Amino acid sequence: MRILLVEDEIAIASFISEGLQEEGFSMDIAHNGKEGLMMALDESSEYDLILLDWMLPGLSGIEICRSIRMENMTVPIIFLTAKDTVDDVVFGLETGANDYIRKPFAFDELLARIRVLLRSSEDINHMYSVGDILMDVAAHRVTKAGVQVKLTQKEFALLEWLLREKGKVCRRTSIIEKVWDIHFNHDTGVIDVYINFLRKKLDSPGKESFVETIRGVGYRVNDVL
Ligand code: CA
């Protein structure tokens, strides 16, 4: 996941970017408004989320946010703002930001808000990811480290269900219901067969599997590999 941080205060920028890097995000930083807008609009960068300071030299966060939305880019945007009157916040959200956080903030709160937005944008775009595995449901396409992986219909459906429930345990009974559409007491052994197919196609050699076996219960794809 790649995040653009537009923040002119160097100390705050490094505090945020170091923290997020430790959480596994790739970070790009812009220290003024113009640079921030240029980076945000650069199609080759494909940010998953933008953290936007409100008061910036050059262009304000509001102006940047407006320009991004005028280009019909749906990337989630969180404002970092010291402004805290209700009017300002409403105005900020009306320009197309998804959320805002008031300075000074606790890093954990920022991280929680980022995760919520990333999860809902994955759902809207029907794009799911874990590690270097990326699933584009609308395009019916799965890639690993950028290379397309061919899956059968059942493998695809199973992977979609596992990724959609990322972080949660998928119980064997719910997998057999949702993926195989079998609603009565049925042998669930077929799930293990298909999990093995997915592991063969998507695991990295010598590393832990992207899907964890929860013995006696089911399977879970963890947020971080
Ligand atoms: Ca500022």
Side-chain angles (χ1 to χ4, degrees), residues 7-9 53 55 103:
E7 167 63 78
D8 59 312
E9 283 165 76
D53 186 24
M55 306 283 275
K103 293 181 190 171

Side-chain angles (χ1 to χ4, degrees), residues 40-80:
L41 296 183
D42 179 357
E43 278 172 17
S44 63
S45 46
E46 294 193 348
Y47 293 110
D48 297 293
L49 188 135
I50 298 177
L51 296 173
L52 200 51
D53 186 24
W54 184 298
M55 306 283 275
L56 287 163
L59 282 171
S60 74
I62 297 276
E63 291 169 296
I64 296 174
C65 183
R66 236 186 232 134
S67 308
I68 292 172
R69 293 303 183 234
M70 274 165 63
E71 295 295 319
N72 286 323
M73 293 171 77
T74 57
V75 55
I77 296 174
I78 300 179
F79 271 128
L80 312 174

